[in-house]
Amino acid sequence: PDRRSFWEYYTRGFEACVTEAQVFTVMASYNSLWGVPCVADPMLLTEILRKRWGFKGYVVPDCDAVADIYRTHHYVQTGPEAAALAIKAGSDLNCGDTYSQHLMKACQDKLVSEEAVRAALTRVLTGRFLLGEFDPPADVPWSGLSPEIIEGQKHRDLAREAARQTLVLLKNEKQTLPLNRRSMKKVAIIGPMAGSCHLGGYSGRPTYLVSPHLGVSAALGSAPFGDTVPAGEYVSTSNFRGPIVDFTDDGAQLLTAIRNNDWVQYASLDFSGKVSIELKFASSADGDIDIRFDTLGGAPALTVPVPATGGMNVWKTVSAPLSGVTGSHVMFLKFRSTGRDHFINLQSFQLLPSKPAAPPAAQVVYAPGCTIMGPRNQALLENAVKAASESDVA
């Protein structure tokens, strides 16, 4: 950035965090600023952060960012040089192993003083003392907090309110918003990411997840699907490589790229009165599907064997009894096979016996329209156009 943008725009949020919120930890980023790696920049970490803004805490570079000084930026040639620069700039705690491997050598070679290392250590230990790590547990007010409070209703409500207050409406052409719920009979939700809950990298995995499709359906009093759930309507999955949603040429959805130990999580489903679950799948090898409720850990509630069907597009159904399951539960499916390759596709599952759905206040139609990274799918596009044209709002 130019200097004026740097001071008037880019630093403002950080300055507020330090001077108003009084944060005690700051992370230094991977990138460089005006040719200097941020984790090795005394202007950022000492002159501005500590001297100008009065920061009293410790700085932790992003993971392996100190190694990047010499491996990626090639700002210096060796690990000891990189460790010395980072310490002198004000990077106190190394997420990585550059300090543990090279900082002693940097001191021995007089690249950095012992006093500078002591200053970094003092700042890190101060944070640990303030957290009460060295105090008797009885003297630490938060040592008695249990993990159960993490997803308590009070915290869920606070998270929802925070989300509400941070929404930004850039345009409201023709005063489309707020929508009149009473006048809407049909709503189309379009987009390939609307059926899942995407939280982004470094996010935790909360138990309670809601996709845009499920959230809009709930707000309008509409059941997003009946007793048959498309397998691609998961809210969370083991990783971005799989399982993933794909579509056939005629627009039919399937869950694919499923390998050994992959899993998917579905939103809360009502199991009241259900006696069995039926899964529609295609498999190239024998395997099992473990079904768990409300948590991915622990023993499965039931295991469903899935034999090879003769091909990844040869579809069969298998059913298993649901014994003693009632009420609403988050459901996890974990896939197991002896091999490591993609061995199964899952199209849908159904909770039985089925019951006719009550007429919704508004019908919600979900049409992905396209895939995220795949080729153009004409059927998906046409289905989305049709859904939009037939709906009161899209």
Side-chain angles (χ1 to χ4, degrees), residues 51 84 165 171:
K51 293 183 178 179
Q165 292 196 27
K171 279 188 177 183

Side-chain angles (χ1 to χ4, degrees), residues 225 227-234 243-258 264 266 277-283 289 306 309 311-318 331 333 335 342-350:
F225 24 71
D227 294 318
T228 300
V229 180
E233 282 275 337
Y234 62 80
I244 59 173
V245 180
D246 200 3
F247 300 90
T248 61
D249 290 340
D250 61 359
Q253 183 195 81
L254 65 144
L255 193 67
T256 186
I258 305 172
V264 288
Y266 293 94
I277 182 171
E278 185 177 88
L279 301 105
K280 187 173 183 180
F281 71 99
S283 178
I289 301 177
V306 284
T309 62
M312 300 304 260
N313 293 304
V314 181
W315 298 95
K316 292 186 179 181
T317 58
V318 63
M331 188 173 77
L333 301 181
F335 304 88
H342 167 205
F343 79 101
I344 188 172
N345 291 332
L346 187 64
Q347 191 174 103
S348 62
F349 61 87
Q350 187 175 18

Side-chain angles (χ1 to χ4, degrees), residues 358-389:
Q363 181 185 2
V364 177
V365 178
Y366 171 41
C370 62
T371 63
I372 297 172
M373 297 178 66
R376 176 188 177 97
N377 187 312
Q378 189 62 28
L380 286 183
L381 183 63
E382 291 173 359
N383 290 342
V385 172
K386 183 174 184 292
S389 63

Side-chain angles (χ1 to χ4, degrees), residues 164-298:
R164 283 196 181 110
Q165 292 196 27
T166 53
L167 291 171
V168 177
L169 178 64
L170 298 181
K171 279 188 177 183
N172 194 13
E173 291 180 352
K174 301 179 182 178
Q175 298 302 299
T176 302
L177 298 178
L179 297 173
N180 186 338
R181 187 182 307 189
R182 289 185 295 273
S183 67
M184 291 189 300
K185 301 300 180 187
K186 193 170 184 179
V187 175
I189 301 177
I190 296 170
M193 298 176 77
S196 301
C197 182
H198 292 269
L199 298 179
Y202 294 98
S203 295
R205 292 194 183 276
T207 302
Y208 186 73
L209 295 167
V210 179
S211 68
H213 176 204
L214 295 176
V216 173
S217 298
L220 297 176
S222 174
F225 24 71
D227 294 318
T228 300
V229 180
E233 282 275 337
Y234 62 80
V235 290
S236 186
T237 182
S238 42
N239 62 66
F240 64 91
R241 295 183 180 90
I244 59 173
V245 180
D246 200 3
F247 300 90
T248 61
D249 290 340
D250 61 359
Q253 183 195 81
L254 65 144
L255 193 67
T256 186
I258 305 172
R259 296 172 177 82
N260 183 39
N261 286 327
D262 282 350
W263 58 265
V264 288
Q265 175 185 347
Y266 293 94
S268 185
L269 300 166
D270 188 2
F271 288 83
S272 300
K274 307 302 180 184
V275 299
S276 65
I277 182 171
E278 185 177 88
L279 301 105
K280 187 173 183 180
F281 71 99
S283 178
S284 62
D286 295 345
D288 294 293
I289 301 177
D290 292 335
I291 299 178
R292 292 176 171 85
F293 298 109
D294 301 320
T295 178
L296 185 61

Side-chain angles (χ1 to χ4, degrees), residues 1-17 33-34 44 48 53 170:
D2 61 82
R3 289 322 199 255
R4 180 171 180 174
S5 297
F6 174 79
W7 287 110
E8 295 187 359
Y9 179 76
Y10 288 101
T11 60
R12 288 296 177 87
F14 296 97
E15 182 179 7
C17 286
L33 176 69
W34 299 318
L44 289 178
I48 296 176
W53 295 344
L170 298 181

